[in-house]
Amino acid sequence: MSTPVLTQPAPDPAVAGRPTVGQRLTSFMPVIALVVLLAALTIADPGFLTLNSLTAAIRTSAPLVVLAAGATLVVLCGGIDLSIAALCSLATVLFALWLPDLGGLTMIAIIAATGAIGALQGVAHVLFRIPSFIVTLGGMSIFTAIALVISDAGPIRVVDREATNWLTLYVGGVVPMSFVVALVVVLVVSLVLRLTPLESWVRATGYSESAARLAGTPVDRVKIAAFTLSGACAGLAAVMLVSRNFSGSPTMADNLLLPAVAAIVVGGTAITGGHGSLWRSLAGALVVTLLRVGLPIVGVPSAYEQILYGAIIVAAVALTLDRSKVLIIK
């Protein structure tokens, strides 16, 4: 006769999985930071909180929102895409060169081409098992060099503005069309993730790639899809920049890499993957844009921007890093 074993009842799953007050507060931190920053800039310059200033700020943020949205998926998968800014600059040059021949189809061609380039990087990452950091770092160098060569290291003026004129319009005379497009991108991608198994696949891949593979998650295809979307978003951001600057340049988007990474981590997306969302990156992009616009207002020289971005990235990663997945820091 066996001796009965007494076991304690398991905790209620519903209670165990309930988010704490701290977790709920953390999820709203990007929005809180946005409101606090807006209030601080208004106090520093009461004239900042005007319709014209806010319209200009969100128009400036549109390319950054799109870049950050695409790269967020790669980060959610546990990787990183350092090539987005260089690919975006290359896309502005290609747009200026292709526009005379393709006309209104140029935007579609650019997005398709950059999406294919992103997919190629994703294939190199999963097929050859090369870290995404190395693949995209090499891609950044390659794209910059190609852009310099095909543009003769100079800007290419866009004379025909009909293909991008619609991005300079305003919805209701207030909201820039480029920002509306950025919101649509975030909304559509978020809905696709939410209404399909992609969201669980992406998060599973980011939390634990080995466990995701054992569970039957198509990890390689998910990663390639993330890099493809990141590349396509870089192409769309390039079209937005061309519509604003009326030219393509091999360095046009180079100053957006650090702001894009800062927008992602300020939005609360864990650099180790698995936790975050595109909507948080949207809030992070708005915070970063307000910083870029607001620093001159409070008298901070633009040369200090890079210092601020670096500090923001380190602080945000320290707050969002999942240390249970990083047992050894190298």
Side-chain angles (χ1 to χ4, degrees):
M1 180 176 178
S2 60
T3 303
V5 179
L6 298 179
T7 59
Q8 295 184 357
D12 186 359
V15 175
R18 188 176 300 165
T20 64
V21 175
Q23 290 173 332
R24 290 175 178 174
L25 182 63
T26 301
S27 66
F28 287 102
M29 280 304 294
V31 177
I32 295 174
L34 181 62
V35 173
V36 170
L37 181 59
L38 188 61
L41 291 175
T42 303
I43 293 174
D45 181 8
F48 178 78
L49 196 62
T50 62
L51 185 59
N52 289 337
S53 296
L54 295 178
T55 299
I58 60 174
R59 182 171 182 260
T60 302
S61 72
L64 181 60
V65 169
V66 175
L67 275 180
T72 296
L73 278 187
V74 178
V75 175
L76 284 174
C77 289
I80 192 167
D81 190 350
L82 297 177
S83 66
I84 49 175
L87 182 57
C88 184
S89 294
L90 173 60
T92 65
V93 174
L94 294 177
F95 188 94
L97 292 174
W98 293 354
L99 184 60
D101 296 324
L102 298 179
L105 297 176
T106 309
M107 184 180 77
I108 298 175
I110 287 296
I111 295 175
T114 53
I117 292 173
L120 184 61
Q121 291 192 112
V123 170
H125 167 53
V126 302
L127 184 62
F128 300 110
R129 313 304 296 170
I130 305 174
S132 59
F133 177 89
I134 300 299
V135 171
T136 57
L137 183 63
M140 178 175 65
S141 178
I142 293 170
F143 303 150
T144 299
I146 294 175
L148 288 170
V149 170
I150 65 177
S151 66
D152 290 331
I156 302 175
R157 186 182 177 189
V158 174
V159 179
D160 182 9
R161 301 176 183 177
E162 292 298 324
T164 59
N165 189 52
W166 63 280
L167 282 170
T168 64
L169 302 177
Y170 290 82
V171 177
V174 177
V175 184
M177 180 62 73
S178 57
F179 187 72
V180 172
V181 172
L183 289 180
V184 170
V185 170
V186 173
L187 176 62
V188 169
V189 176
S190 298
L191 286 177
V192 170
L193 290 175
R194 183 63 59 87
L195 300 177
T196 66
L198 278 174
E199 183 172 29
S200 60
W201 288 350
V202 167
R203 294 188 184 279
T205 300
Y207 276 124
S208 176
E209 183 175 327
S210 57
R213 290 184 186 277
L214 291 174
T217 300
V219 172
D220 290 347
R221 282 182 288 170
V222 168
K223 285 186 171 184
I224 293 173
F227 275 100
T228 302
L229 182 64
S230 182
C233 285
L236 179 57
V239 177
M240 292 179 173
L241 290 174
V242 171
S243 71
R244 194 169 66 192
N245 296 290
F246 309 119
S247 65
S249 169
T251 58
M252 182 171 289
D254 288 2
N255 63 341
L256 292 181
L257 177 58
L258 270 181
V261 175
I264 294 171
V265 295
V266 167
T269 297
I271 201 69
T272 47
H275 176 73
S277 72
L278 273 70
W279 291 107
R280 290 187 178 193
S281 294
L282 168 63
L286 292 176
V287 169
V288 171
T289 300
L290 283 180
L291 282 173
R292 298 178 72 187
V293 173
L295 284 178
I297 293 178
V298 297
V300 178
S302 59
Y304 288 90
E305 279 190 22
Q306 302 300 320
I307 298 176
L308 182 61
Y309 291 146
I312 288 173
I313 291 173
V314 172
V317 169
L319 293 174
T320 62
L321 182 66
D322 184 359
R323 289 168 179 80
S324 65
K325 294 170 59 179
V326 189
L327 301 180
I328 299 176
I329 305 297
K330 295 183 178 180

